Amino acid sequence: MLHIHAFPPLRTARTAVAACILLAAGTAWADARFGQPDDNFQGRVSAGGVVYPGSTVTLQGTNFKPGQKVQFLYEGETISGEPVAADVDGKFSVETTVPKNAVPGRHSVVVSATEPSAALIHTLKVSPDLPVSGANRFDIKSEKTVTGVYQSGYSATNSALFVAAAVGRPPVKESVLARLDPRTLKVVQQVTPGPAPGRPDAQGNAQDGGVYAVYGVGVDDANGNIWVSNTRQNTVAVYRQSDLTLLKQFDAGTIGHPRDVIADQKNGKVFVNQARGTNVAVFDAKTLLLTTTLELNAPPPPAGAGGPPGRGAAPAAFPTMSMSLDASAGKLFVVGANGEVAVIDAASNAVEKAYTVKGAAGAIGIAHDAQSNRIFIASQGADAIVIAEADTGDVLHRVPVGAGPLSVVFEPVSKRVYAANRGSGTITVLDVDGKIVANLPGGPLPNHLTVAPGGVVYALNKGQADDAASNHVQRIHAKQ
């Protein structure tokens, strides 16, 4: 077994490459042998699973040259012993143990290949491993639910929890929209979406398109409807809450890869964002019509971060990931994958401000507390919840919570932040200042959180279809 030595503070990729070049102890530069370079190097390295301090990690290589010898280096020292040779398919696999005292974060590992020679930088992310704690402070009920759950939404008017579920890749044939009793968590009613158009094959023949699978959920109590995103068909649909009757199926291609759906009942709108795209579509909640599409641009870099773009340069992209609505103030917060945040006036659709929250790498979720005027960003790249001022984006706290935080919500009764950590299988509960008050078991692959009245939070976990612990819904309520 290979062993990685203690992880000192992270160095930049440039420093790591320099360390690689100078690593040969006792070998002068003039004596170095320059072998045949790999002028078309396509090698890739990945680490299997979540990596914690003290855990064993499998490093896998693909697209290397058959017989190419590969070595791993960290801080100028070998961490893989003798070089490993790629097989006839250009693949290899080695195991190594991360030290127990490894500092969580993104560590630059140099992958050095010879025969022919090449190199790349692999970022090995070591995640924080927080123990489960504080469950005695909550009343928690869990129930097995429909398979393939993605998102949920709560109706205060009808006292119902709606869940969207889909299984597999296109053409998706198994998908349901379900209504659950919010206390027993039992399925009261469910429907299967209708058939979706398939893409024609090379001969122009129509293929099976599966169904209009449902993923994101937006609850419109003002009109008694449920809006869902049909992500695979790049569109949305509207169902009636009372009996789950389909009211309108928008045409495929209405909005590219929709993710979150938010009903703004005060202004009679429904907002749908394009995952990793730049658009937020705006629908009329009453007429069920698409009224406009907002195009978001990334905020300019801060002063001193580089010169202004050249004249006529196109605005930088804003890869939207998630949204949060402050209904009382009429503000829609949209977060981008690189930590970009746009604050939109929900009534006028005007972008009031845009900024980048530092250290929110791989941002994927956002929540807002109107009282403290803070935003909470789920940063998968940092395995943290980043707490920032909502007006400026200035970072107040950066709290490691576990591997791959995916969904984050603010619960106003207890004034707590809930974060679903997909990789760690936990739900971390924090106060607005970033103090962790509990770390609850979330089951395999926690996927989504929903806030309901009375201090209740609902959590969905996805996992594997045949796993007894997967596809559960939890009702979490902080004890008084």
Side-chain angles (χ1 to χ4, degrees):
M1 181 174 291
L2 307 177
H3 295 277
I4 290 182
H5 301 293
F7 279 66
L10 181 64
R11 292 186 182 180
T12 65
R14 181 178 298 176
T15 302
V17 171
C20 173
I21 294 172
L22 300 175
L23 76 96
T27 301
W29 173 258
D31 296 331
R33 182 178 66 86
F34 278 73
Q36 177 65 37
D38 188 345
D39 294 328
N40 188 30
F41 182 59
Q42 302 292 326
R44 295 290 182 269
V45 171
S46 62
V50 179
V51 180
Y52 296 114
S55 69
T56 297
V57 56
T58 300
L59 298 170
Q60 298 173 324
T62 57
N63 296 335
F64 285 77
K65 297 291 190 301
Q68 199 166 28
K69 296 180 179 179
V70 184
Q71 203 170 22
F72 291 85
L73 308 155
Y74 186 80
E75 293 290 320
E77 297 181 9
T78 179
I79 58 173
S80 57
E82 294 297 320
V84 59
D87 63 17
V88 293
D89 296 318
K91 299 179 180 180
F92 65 84
S93 177
V94 295
E95 283 190 346
T96 185
T97 301
V98 177
K100 293 181 179 180
N101 62 345
V103 177
R106 300 168 68 84
H107 297 266
S108 294
V109 174
V110 177
V111 184
S112 177
T114 58
E115 302 178 21
S117 63
L120 63 84
I121 301 296
H122 171 67
T123 301
L124 182 66
K125 187 177 73 167
V126 179
S127 298
D129 188 10
L130 276 65
V132 171
S133 64
N136 60 325
R137 302 177 183 177
F138 298 83
D139 290 319
I140 302 175
K141 178 178 177 58
S142 181
E143 186 75 26
K144 188 83 169 179
T145 191
V146 291
T147 302
V149 287
Y150 268 85
Q151 289 193 12
S152 65
Y154 183 83
S155 167
T157 299
N158 293 310
S159 186
L161 182 69
F162 296 91
V163 172
V167 178
R169 303 189 68 82
V172 177
K173 299 182 179 181
E174 183 179 347
S175 177
V176 298
L177 176 62
R179 175 174 175 160
L180 277 59
D181 182 296
R183 288 201 167 272
T184 66
L185 305 182
K186 299 292 186 181
V187 175
V188 176
Q189 186 181 10
Q190 67 181 53
V191 294
T192 297
R199 295 180 179 179
D201 61 16
Q203 288 72 42
N205 301 314
Q207 301 296 295
D208 183 2
V211 298
Y212 277 101
V214 293
Y215 295 88
V217 178
V219 177
D220 175 18
D221 274 345
N223 295 286
N225 296 333
I226 295 292
W227 289 66
V228 296
S229 59
N230 309 118
T231 306
R232 301 299 187 182
Q233 289 79 32
N234 301 313
T235 190
V236 295
V238 188
Y239 291 79
R240 189 160 54 210
Q241 286 191 32
S242 59
D243 57 7
L244 299 184
T245 296
L246 177 65
L247 298 178
K248 182 169 184 176
Q249 177 63 66
F250 286 80
D251 292 339
T254 299
I255 176 172
H257 207 80
R259 188 177 189 269
D260 284 3
V261 184
I262 293 182
D264 175 13
Q265 298 174 71
K266 178 180 178 181
N267 292 295
K269 300 180 179 182
V270 175
F271 296 96
V272 182
N273 78 298
Q274 177 188 15
R276 293 193 178 276
T278 60
N279 296 332
V280 176
V282 185
F283 297 83
D284 187 300
K286 194 170 187 64
T287 64
L288 312 185
L289 295 174
L290 174 64
T291 59
T292 189
T293 299
L294 310 181
E295 182 81 16
L296 300 184
N297 296 320
R311 181 174 297 178
F318 190 126
T320 75
M321 292 304 297
S322 190
M323 303 183 295
S324 177
L325 177 67
D326 178 359
S328 60
K331 308 296 182 188
L332 181 71
F333 293 83
V334 184
V335 69
N338 305 309
E340 309 93 333
V341 174
V343 184
I344 299 173
D345 182 272
S348 66
N349 297 332
V351 178
E352 294 186 342
K353 61 185 67 177
Y355 48 75
T356 299
V357 177
K358 295 180 179 179
I364 193 168
I366 187 169
H368 176 253
D369 170 28
Q371 185 172 346
S372 66
N373 199 28
R374 295 177 178 181
I375 55 173
F376 310 92
I377 297 176
S379 169
Q380 290 196 321
D383 289 332
I385 295 300
V386 181
I387 304 175
E389 294 281 2
D391 290 334
T392 63
D394 292 340
V395 175
L396 301 172
H397 307 281
R398 187 167 171 267
V399 187
V401 291
L406 177 61
S407 178
V408 59
V409 295
F410 176 76
E411 197 289 293
V413 175
S414 63
K415 296 181 173 57
R416 294 288 186 260
V417 180
Y418 288 69
N421 307 308
R422 184 175 173 85
S424 293
T426 56
I427 299 169
T428 306
V429 186
L430 313 88
D431 65 18
V432 294
D433 294 318
K435 179 183 177 182
I436 294 177
V437 299
N439 195 40
L440 310 175
L445 305 181
N447 211 67
H448 192 254
L449 300 168
T450 295
V451 174
V456 174
V457 172
Y458 293 96
L460 301 177
N461 81 300
K462 189 170 171 58
Q464 301 298 320
D466 57 354
D467 180 9
S470 298
N471 297 292
H472 276 68
V473 55
Q474 289 189 88
R475 184 181 188 275
I476 306 171
H477 186 217
K479 295 178 180 179
Q480 300 299 321

